[in-house]
Amino acid sequence: MNNHHFLIDYNLKELTEHSTTTWSIALYHTKICDHRSGHIPLHWHDEFQFVFILEGEAEFHINEETICLKEVDGVFINSGCLHMAKDANGTTCTYLCLNVSPHFITANELFTTFVHPYMHASQTPYILLNRKDHWPNHIYQCIQTIQRLIDETPAYYELELNIQLITMWKCLLQNGFQIKYDARQHDKNERMKPMLNWIHQHYHE
């Protein structure tokens, strides 16, 4: 599924409804230069995002940090974090992108303990994922399985899809996802959103 253009509100929140089926999940193959602006503009959303580079190189800006991703690289972007992406080093980048609602990761009884605290871990806006390492590659394989399940919709695929998501999430929690909350950093990030939107709206001035 390609996403050539998406709407952003006055606060830079993406307005796209990330839903591939009846579930709060969407999977995209994104070619950055196909976007109307030639890059993925600065935005944020409530969904968790998993990105894996398939071809070329990309420069991602996440909150106040810049990272360069090459083939076999990937990144997890936390809920609510400002981010944008553009082609890097003269390449044309294509990446696989999975967006999933935090509330779809686990059952309600587990959400409070195993998901909610990590959504607000202001010190962890992203986690690098390199497919040369075992556990990030396992996450990538789970996303490939999710793609097949969405395309083929075999019997009981909904249950298998949920298994894959929980497996991915468990991998993150077991490999360095720290629950660290800094109220000052959170407030700073929230103030940045309208400020950056004002700059975007008045850039020509």
Side-chain angles (χ1 to χ4, degrees):
M1 181 176 184
N2 291 316
N3 192 20
H4 298 290
H5 179 61
F6 52 84
L7 297 176
I8 300 171
D9 72 7
Y10 69 95
N11 206 28
L12 296 181
K13 182 176 182 180
E14 183 183 350
L15 300 178
T16 306
E17 182 178 348
H18 294 291
S19 177
T20 302
T21 61
T22 56
W23 304 104
S24 300
I25 181 173
L27 192 59
Y28 306 104
H29 281 79
T30 300
K31 189 174 183 180
I32 292 178
C33 65
D34 281 348
H35 191 276
R36 189 172 67 179
S37 62
H39 66 278
I40 307 300
L42 191 67
H43 67 287
W44 63 277
H45 39 70
D46 295 322
E47 292 82 7
F48 295 133
Q49 187 170 89
F50 294 84
V51 171
F52 282 98
I53 306 299
L54 301 177
E55 184 179 356
E57 300 179 24
E59 184 179 287
F60 275 76
H61 298 266
I62 305 171
N63 283 356
E64 298 177 77
E65 297 186 51
T66 300
I67 58 175
C68 188
L69 302 179
K70 302 178 181 180
E71 286 187 42
V72 311
D73 286 337
V75 64
F76 162 80
I77 302 175
N78 208 344
S79 171
C81 290
L82 283 162
H83 57 283
M84 63 169 290
K86 60 182 180 180
D87 290 325
N89 296 323
T91 67
T92 299
C93 180
T94 302
Y95 62 80
L96 182 65
C97 176
L98 175 71
N99 285 358
V100 56
S101 167
H103 296 277
F104 190 53
I105 297 291
T106 65
N108 290 337
E109 293 79 4
L110 299 175
F111 179 83
T112 301
T113 301
F114 293 106
V115 179
H116 186 266
Y118 297 90
M119 291 172 59
H120 301 284
S122 58
Q123 300 297 90
T124 310
Y126 67 89
I127 297 174
L128 291 174
L129 307 172
N130 189 305
R131 276 185 277 158
K132 291 181 180 179
D133 298 326
H134 174 71
W135 68 271
N137 190 55
H138 190 36
I139 289 178
Y140 179 69
Q141 291 172 352
C142 287
I143 293 177
Q144 289 183 310
T145 300
I146 289 172
Q147 177 73 80
R148 178 181 59 79
L149 292 169
I150 291 173
D151 290 342
E152 300 177 6
T153 61
Y156 311 113
Y157 83 97
E158 299 93 340
L159 294 176
E160 182 60 34
L161 192 152
N162 197 242
I163 290 170
Q164 298 300 317
L165 288 174
I166 291 175
T167 299
M168 293 167 58
W169 192 248
K170 183 181 177 183
C171 278
L172 282 180
L173 301 194
Q174 289 179 321
N175 291 277
F177 199 155
Q178 301 295 317
I179 304 178
K180 294 183 179 179
Y181 179 76
D182 184 333
R184 290 174 300 178
Q185 183 65 40
H186 176 267
D187 292 344
K188 181 180 180 181
N189 292 340
E190 290 303 306
R191 290 196 302 270
M192 282 175 61
K193 291 171 183 177
M195 289 168 59
L196 290 170
N197 182 58
W198 188 92
I199 293 172
H200 176 74
Q201 296 293 329
H202 298 272
Y203 184 76
H204 63 284
E205 300 173 15

